[in-house]
Amino acid sequence: MRQYRSRSSTWTLALLTATSLCSHQLFAQDTDTTPPATPAQEQPEVLGRGPIHEAFAEPVTMQIQAGLVVPQQPPPNIEEIPSAEKPQGQQFVWIPGYWAWDADRLGYIWVSACWRAAPPNMSWTPGYWVQVSGGWEWVAGFWAPAGVRNIAYLPPPPVIEDLEPVSVQISSDMIWVPPCMYWSEEHYIRRAGYWLKAQPNWVWVPAHYVTTPRGYIFAEGHWDYSLERRGVLFAPVYFPASVYGRVGFTFTPGIVIDMGLLQVSLFAYPRYSHYYFGDYYDGTYLRIGIFPWFESHRHHTWYDPIYEHARWRNRAEPRWEEHTRDEYRRRHDDKDLRPAHTFREQESRTARLPEPQRHTSQLVRPMESVVTSQKTSMKLERTDPGTRQKMSKQATEVHTFSNERRNWESSVPDRKNVQPIEEQKPTLTQPSERKKTVQPIETRKPATLPSTEHRQTVQPIEEHKPTLTQPSERKKPVQPIETRKPATLPSTEHRQAVHSPERSESPVAAPVSQQISVPSPVHETRSVRPERVQIPASPVVGNSGRSGFFRKGPPTQPDDETKKRSFE
């Protein structure tokens, strides 16, 4: 009996103790003022892939094609605070970010700001989203000669089919610059393609046209810094609406893209006028127009100045191009070799790797690692609060300039303030030794404008089965390409080469004869005749390029380029 009572007392004591501890824990939970962690779905996500800031680098569109149209309006711009560290030198400017459409998320992601060494004597005109029939269309930004205060809007330029070299490369130091159409004396004339001597540390961006709702802008060819000398490129970020919608919300980017690893996973989206980086190796991305950077040599709808410079720089390696394609195929076939999609995923991967392999796997990394790294030739300096405030003000001015551009290009022109270019009759100066290469177009009539029904709308990627939008003059429902029958080729006026479905899993190896072509309608514009519009000054202007560690200025303009400007 005593033993039973002893055990009963022990159980009672244990029960009272447990009850007391439980009550104490419940009391502690009731008085704890710290809320649980915010769900990951409601937090900003730094991405390990996505679009590259258009002011940092852009593929050059050589054949006008339909732009990117998306179904949603972009959110208001995010206020960005410049990072505490910036590249050393007066040529670096802070260019704010903007919203970009992400077909995988079916929504917008934020393209972070960048520290950019602005091309010498060039000014930046930012792009913008504009509402069109069927959604919102992206109008690309561009670099223009500094000091100009007006823009010439031209009729659609004639299509150039023969963009490939027509002569033998006389030296391994030469790069091919494709032909271009120039407007002069009320009609287009052709400037023939030519071989240009490449320059160390400088990239030649050839002349091309930028499509706007008002007309076509001639973007003059210019020298730009090599990719690794352009500054600091921050990674894009996904922001939930609950985050960027907060009153007074600001953002300071801190995760940068490694310039040394960028070219390993670099892609071009010509229709969107953007480069992309990261994991876009799946064959489905080829169908929406995201190509490996080296594919510009086969499609010829765009020119890749970054690839041309890298190709020249590696000219001593006879199999460099082959190795570049092989590296793409390896990642295309083996998903484990592809870069992580987010910074968080990348950190989880690299934590399991040996120390020597971690750096080669970090496509995006914290800004602090760039500051402490001894491998970079770019020197960083810490900015004071006054400088950061000045940069923030300049970022606001860039957004304002972008909005103003959208207004003057989208609104009905005031004929009182518009001067037809025909009345000015500019002349075109030709190099004496190249006079025979420039031939006028036979007809002087301006090209007819495309119908408003010629548009393409971006299709979301759902379970990696995207559809390829076909233009239709009667707005019939878009049908996905499911048949394996060869498509009927359109006329030579507007083509955009894509890969056939049966070759989508091995796109790079497919010969041109096994590709199909689909019509690529031009943008809708209102320009029936050239007109010149007065514009405000750009807040982003590049200096002479002779400051900081850029002691040497840019090379001189090629002799084959004309001296005539579209901006006067």
Side-chain angles (χ1 to χ4, degrees):
M1 179 66 70
R2 290 180 181 178
Q3 185 177 5
Y4 172 78
R5 289 179 178 177
S6 177
R7 291 180 179 177
S8 178
S9 299
T10 301
W11 292 341
T12 302
L13 180 61
L15 180 62
L16 291 174
T17 300
T19 304
S20 176
L21 290 174
C22 182
S23 300
H24 177 72
Q25 292 176 356
L26 290 175
F27 178 76
Q29 292 178 0
D30 291 339
T31 59
D32 189 2
T33 59
T34 303
T38 304
Q41 294 81 355
E42 297 295 331
Q43 296 180 11
E45 183 78 79
V46 179
L47 305 179
R49 68 171 190 164
I52 291 175
H53 199 296
E54 63 168 356
F56 203 88
E58 282 182 299
V60 177
T61 301
M62 302 307 299
Q63 293 185 358
I64 304 300
Q65 54 186 311
L68 178 67
V69 179
V70 302
Q72 298 178 18
Q73 179 180 1
N77 288 320
I78 292 177
E79 181 181 354
E80 289 175 296
I81 305 299
S83 58
E85 290 80 19
K86 66 175 289 290
Q88 188 177 28
Q90 298 180 355
Q91 71 275 15
F92 290 100
V93 293
W94 177 258
I95 304 182
Y98 53 92
W99 292 105
W101 180 259
D102 185 74
D104 291 297
R105 294 178 180 269
L106 302 181
Y108 285 94
I109 59 176
W110 183 254
V111 179
S112 301
C114 63
W115 288 109
R116 174 67 153 101
N121 305 317
M122 303 293 287
S123 62
W124 174 243
T125 302
Y128 61 90
W129 290 99
V130 62
Q131 189 172 12
V132 296
S133 176
W136 293 77
E137 182 177 17
W138 178 255
V139 179
F142 60 96
W143 290 98
V148 299
R149 297 298 300 273
N150 53 66
I151 291 182
Y153 292 94
L154 304 171
V159 175
I160 300 178
E161 295 290 344
D162 54 335
L163 295 172
E164 301 177 358
V166 295
S167 59
V168 179
Q169 183 179 7
I170 60 177
S171 170
S172 60
D173 278 342
M174 312 296 283
I175 60 175
W176 174 252
V177 179
C180 185
M181 306 304 299
Y182 285 74
W183 180 265
S184 178
E185 299 181 353
E186 305 181 22
H187 69 282
Y188 279 104
I189 65 173
R190 174 188 171 103
R191 190 267 292 143
Y194 60 92
W195 289 102
L196 171 67
K197 184 177 181 180
Q199 301 292 331
N201 302 323
W202 293 96
V203 175
W204 176 251
V205 180
H208 59 282
Y209 284 87
V210 178
T211 308
T212 77
R214 192 161 192 165
Y216 293 83
I217 299 174
F218 177 77
E220 189 169 320
H222 64 276
W223 289 105
D224 202 346
Y225 298 105
S226 57
L227 192 62
E228 65 276 3
R229 303 190 333 145
R230 294 189 182 183
V232 177
L233 183 62
F234 293 93
V237 183
Y238 166 71
F239 286 103
S242 58
V243 174
Y244 65 75
R246 299 172 188 167
V247 178
F249 174 74
T250 60
F251 167 64
T252 299
I255 305 299
V256 303
I257 302 173
D258 189 304
M259 289 293 104
L261 300 177
L262 176 61
Q263 296 183 19
V264 178
S265 298
L266 188 60
F267 297 80
Y269 196 173
R271 191 159 73 102
Y272 187 27
S273 298
H274 275 73
Y275 282 110
Y276 273 58
F277 78 100
D279 180 12
Y280 289 92
Y281 293 93
D282 198 291
T284 56
Y285 293 107
L286 291 164
R287 295 194 177 189
I288 64 174
I290 301 179
F291 301 97
W293 62 331
F294 51 77
E295 283 292 270
S296 60
H297 271 215
R298 189 162 67 186
H299 290 281
H300 299 294
T301 56
W302 83 96
Y303 179 91
D304 197 316
I306 302 299
Y307 180 74
E308 293 298 331
H309 183 77
R311 184 167 172 257
W312 167 80
R313 191 165 53 184
N314 292 277
R315 62 192 181 282
E317 301 180 23
R319 300 184 62 187
W320 178 82
E321 291 184 84
E322 181 181 347
H323 290 161
T324 302
R325 292 176 178 272
D326 289 343
E327 199 64 28
Y328 172 87
R329 291 189 184 93
R330 290 179 60 240
R331 288 173 170 79
H332 176 271
D333 298 336
D334 189 348
K335 295 183 179 180
D336 293 336
L337 298 177
R338 303 177 186 179
H341 287 196
T342 66
F343 175 69
R344 184 184 309 168
E345 179 187 352
Q346 175 190 277
E347 293 300 284
S348 176
R349 286 188 188 181
T350 55
R352 301 190 296 267
L353 296 176
E355 185 63 31
Q357 299 180 15
R358 292 184 181 182
H359 179 73
T360 58
S361 302
Q362 292 178 313
L363 182 55
V364 292
R365 52 200 181 105
M367 181 72 171
E368 292 78 7
S369 63
V370 177
V371 177
T372 58
S373 176
Q374 300 298 323
K375 296 182 179 180
T376 177
S377 59
M378 186 173 298
K379 304 299 180 182
L380 301 177
E381 61 184 9
R382 193 165 186 84
T383 58
D384 56 75
T387 301
R388 298 179 72 187
Q389 185 176 5
K390 181 180 178 180
M391 294 295 179
S392 297
K393 181 181 178 181
Q394 185 185 58
T396 301
E397 294 173 350
V398 172
H399 285 311
T400 301
F401 187 46
S402 176
N403 293 334
E404 290 176 345
R405 181 193 173 195
R406 178 177 61 241
N407 292 337
W408 82 61
E409 289 184 348
S410 303
S411 60
V412 177
D414 183 0
R415 293 300 173 185
K416 295 181 180 180
N417 299 324
V418 174
Q419 297 180 353
I421 294 184
E422 290 89 341
E423 298 178 1
Q424 300 182 12
K425 295 183 179 180
T427 58
L428 185 66
T429 304
Q430 301 292 341
S432 58
E433 67 276 13
R434 295 284 178 170
K435 287 183 179 179
K436 295 183 179 180
T437 62
V438 181
Q439 300 295 333
I441 302 301
E442 294 181 0
T443 177
R444 291 175 179 249
K445 296 180 181 180
T448 57
L449 294 180
S451 168
T452 57
E453 299 177 3
H454 284 274
R455 288 201 174 269
Q456 288 181 323
T457 302
V458 68
Q459 299 296 324
I461 300 178
E462 298 179 358
E463 298 181 359
H464 298 289
K465 295 181 180 180
T467 59
L468 183 62
T469 307
Q470 303 288 347
S472 172
E473 296 181 352
R474 299 183 180 179
K475 295 185 178 179
K476 295 181 180 180
V478 176
Q479 300 295 332
I481 299 181
E482 297 179 354
T483 176
R484 293 176 179 265
K485 296 180 180 180
T488 302
L489 294 179
S491 65
T492 58
E493 289 300 318
H494 302 290
R495 291 185 182 178
Q496 180 185 13
V498 295
H499 296 278
S500 58
E502 57 264 41
R503 303 292 297 179
S504 62
E505 291 305 318
S506 184
V508 179
V512 178
S513 60
Q514 294 182 1
Q515 302 173 15
I516 61 173
S517 297
V518 297
S520 179
V522 298
H523 290 249
E524 171 196 352
T525 65
R526 295 194 310 271
S527 177
V528 295
R529 64 172 184 169
E531 57 185 19
R532 193 179 300 276
V533 179
Q534 195 75 18
I535 66 171
S538 171
V540 178
V541 180
N543 57 26
S544 63
R546 299 180 183 274
S547 60
F549 69 92
F550 300 143
R551 301 293 182 183
K552 187 177 180 180
T556 57
Q557 290 286 99
D559 293 337
D560 296 78
E561 290 293 329
T562 67
K563 303 301 181 183
K564 186 259 182 188
R565 295 173 181 264
S566 290
F567 306 85
E568 299 175 353

